[in-house]
Amino acid sequence: MGLAKRIIPCLDVDDGRVVKGVQFVDIRDAGDPVEVAKRYNDAGADEITFLDITASHEGRDTTLHTVEQIASQVFIPLTVGGGVRTLEDIRNLLNAGADKVGINSAAVHNPEFVREAAERFGSQCIVVAIDAKKVSAESEPNRWEIFTHGGRKPTGLDAVEWAKRMTDYGAGEILLTSMDRDGTKNGFDIALTRAISDAVPVPVIASGGVGNLQHLVDGVIQGGADAVLAASIFHFAEYTVADAKRYMQNAGVEMRLD
Amino acid sequence: MTEVVAVIDYGMGNLHSASKALEKVASGQTILITSDPDQVRAADRVVFPGVGAIRDCIAVLRDTGLDQAIHDVVAAGKPLLGICVGMQALLARSEENNGIDCLGVFSGQVSFFGEMLGETGNKLKVPHMGWNQVQQGMAHPMWAGIADNARFYFVHSYCATDVPESDVAGYCDYGRRFAAAVTRDNVFAVQFHPEKSADAGLTLLENFLRWQP
């Protein structure tokens, strides 16, 4: 009895449309983020994360409108990330109805931005997204580095040190993605998840590599994650969120099932 | 005449969620977001939401005269719902920001979760973030249609302590047992976010819109 672990489906949204294909058999418009968010809410998702991959500047207004639409109809927490660079970006997203915003490369370029954001809006709504890749050889102790530009650009920053620094600066949560595992369906990088989770005082969301329901359990029990984020296993209806919750509960993980 | 439900806007974060959720469950009531103390006094029901730091919250309330408006609503016997920092502000004192006096509608204070250990001996993460169970401390019209130990969404680093048991409407466990809901007469206040707590949260908000204390 106590705090439940969370399952967070993630939507990639480009100019107001869900991309990377969501395949629900009985949904009218699988590209409509509001419909997809509602569907996940009905299936028992604990939160929704919305990754804005809109490239154009004009597209940002569409994003705000989409956030507004989701927040008017789906009454669970909504995190929006992607392209968040200024305090004004954050304010606009929160005013549109986002509960938390994810900051990724802007934090790497200017760590003070995270401090300013947490002071201005409160740590509870500042999620720092970390994309990490293993850089140590097999014979060496594990070491992961922060990468930007979708995993192409190394920064020289040690992932564990960086996560600690970001929480010192006021990040209220860490969204941790293993760039080695992202898209592989081989499961989370458990050692990375455990290393970050043990190092920071705030909740950690594990992301990258989920291919089956046991991977979600492993992320929580072995990796120490407080929440698990997944996209494709839910989008392609391989499993429903409800399936995942029952599976995790049966494996001894406390979940919200009501 | 249409009932007016005022949502107090004191510049502290996201009112969209609270007002949208209230609109979703309202029947014939007008949801009014306002920073005007007179409109708060004139409303039939008042919602006092809040996120962010308590020091800024209390400072703004005092500067704008909203603190007195809240006291007047309490004294007038109109239903008042505090949410999250809104609940914390109704207690006597908070230790956040090196200690600050709050509105004192309830006795008790707000304390940091601190470095607590969970059942397995691991350090508990702060903020307390996610869906936790609320054990109902008393029968109350605000709990109508909500199961005992139903889960609500929490996100906070400070929690209410030393609230007299007779004022505690619900408890939550996270390293320690704390008051997740407090109530007296026409005031009900919750640490969790009903506007983000799916069906259980919407039911609570609907109960508030019907509550006749």
Side-chain angles (χ1 to χ4, degrees), chain A residues 1-4 46-47 68 72 75-77 94 96 98-100 124 172-173 197 200-202 226 254-256 258, chain B residues 14 16-17 20-21 24 51-52 125-133 150-151 153 155 174 195-198 202:
Chain A
M1 301 291 270
L3 185 63
D46 297 306
E47 293 188 28
E68 219 161 77
S72 304
F75 299 101
I76 57 176
L94 295 178
D99 298 285
K100 306 183 235 182
Q124 83 290 335
E173 193 170 36
S197 183
V200 300
V202 304
D226 301 281
E254 182 149 6
M255 304 300 295
R256 173 178 73 108
D258 46 342
Chain B
N14 180 5
H16 179 106
S17 303
K20 288 295 171 193
K24 165 97 177 167
V51 293
K125 299 298 180 86
V126 178
H128 171 222
M129 186 186 286
W131 298 79
N132 207 336
Q133 292 173 298
R151 289 185 186 275
Y153 189 80
V155 50
Y174 190 64
E195 75 281 14
K196 285 289 154 187
S197 295
L202 292 175

Side-chain angles (χ1 to χ4, degrees), chain B residues 71-141:
Chain B
H71 283 300
D72 293 345
V73 168
V74 173
K78 292 175 182 176
L80 173 73
L81 175 64
I83 298 174
C84 194
V85 173
M87 164 177 159
Q88 296 182 1
L90 293 173
L91 298 187
R93 194 172 164 75
S94 173
E95 71 172 33
E96 190 178 352
N97 304 129
N98 298 320
I100 182 152
D101 286 330
C102 300
L103 301 182
V105 172
F106 292 92
S107 53
Q109 53 177 337
V110 182
S111 311
F112 188 60
F113 269 115
E115 304 229 324
M116 297 172 304
L117 299 179
E119 285 164 24
T120 52
N122 55 323
K123 234 192 239 174
L124 287 173
K125 299 298 180 86
V126 178
H128 171 222
M129 186 186 286
W131 298 79
N132 207 336
Q133 292 173 298
V134 175
Q135 186 201 347
Q136 296 169 13
M138 58 173 75
H140 196 285

Side-chain angles (χ1 to χ4, degrees), chain A residues 183-195:
Chain A
T184 65
K185 300 204 161 226
N186 289 334
F188 297 119
D189 182 338
I190 295 297
L192 169 67
T193 308
R194 175 52 75 182

